[in-house]
Amino acid sequence: MTRPLVLDTNTVMALWFFEDPRLAALRDAIEGEAPALASRADALEELRRVLAYAQFAIPPARQGELLDAYRARLTLVAPPTADAALLPPCRDPDDQKFLEIARDAQASVLLTRDKLLLRLRRHRLIRPLFDICPPDGFSLPAD
């Protein structure tokens, strides 16, 4: 079984709302059910809030469709337990959840364009657990 991927909120938006053409191969792979995706309830709540931002002008029905379509692809992980492996703190506390999700889902990769998360890629506590990389040009390993 392949280890899941974790997508931060901006990556989800780039894939399904903005339909970034640089992420077309990743989107096709996910829609073809190749990689499993993992998330958590608080990350889904963040996505729900972002979808409702006035600057995106997404009609409420479309917001629900996007959220439901993403949720249908996910395995949800529980909040971390007290005995969870130690992670470095992200300088943006709102992004810490994505590190926790990747750890708790035993993900292979956290896909993000967030510079603060990407800086943690080489941290000694992250390296043995999962990779952190930008979604642009990411391709799934061949079977």
Side-chain angles (χ1 to χ4, degrees):
M1 181 173 150
T2 8
R3 293 170 56 192
L5 304 177
V6 172
L7 312 176
D8 73 350
T9 302
N10 289 328
T11 301
V12 173
M13 292 294 289
L15 279 165
W16 286 289
F17 176 64
F18 295 110
E19 297 182 2
D20 185 335
R22 295 172 294 176
L23 305 184
L26 176 60
R27 185 175 43 254
D28 291 346
I30 291 169
E31 289 177 355
E33 300 180 17
L37 300 177
S39 192
R40 198 168 72 190
D42 55 344
L44 285 174
E45 176 56 23
E46 178 179 283
L47 177 60
R48 187 200 61 72
R49 285 191 319 270
V50 169
L51 287 166
Y53 285 174
Q55 69 260 32
F56 297 138
I58 306 171
R62 180 69 178 137
Q63 292 174 36
E65 289 169 8
L66 289 166
L67 188 61
D68 290 345
Y70 179 59
R71 186 183 295 131
R73 293 175 170 88
L74 294 176
T75 297
L76 291 177
V77 296
T81 60
D83 63 344
L86 187 63
L87 291 170
C90 184
R91 289 182 58 200
D92 180 351
D94 287 338
D95 288 334
Q96 190 71 29
K97 67 181 156 287
F98 296 108
L99 298 172
E100 294 170 356
I101 294 165
R103 176 200 57 206
D104 297 345
Q106 298 180 333
S108 59
V109 178
L110 164 57
L111 294 174
T112 182
R113 290 176 175 156
D114 185 286
K115 288 179 180 24
L116 294 176
L117 285 170
L118 289 167
R119 282 187 193 149
L120 293 173
R121 179 181 195 175
R122 291 188 180 92
H123 193 284
R124 66 180 176 77
L125 296 175
I126 296 287
R127 277 192 327 259
L129 299 175
F130 54 89
D131 195 8
I132 302 173
C133 62
D136 311 68
F138 177 79
S139 60
L140 296 167
D143 288 338

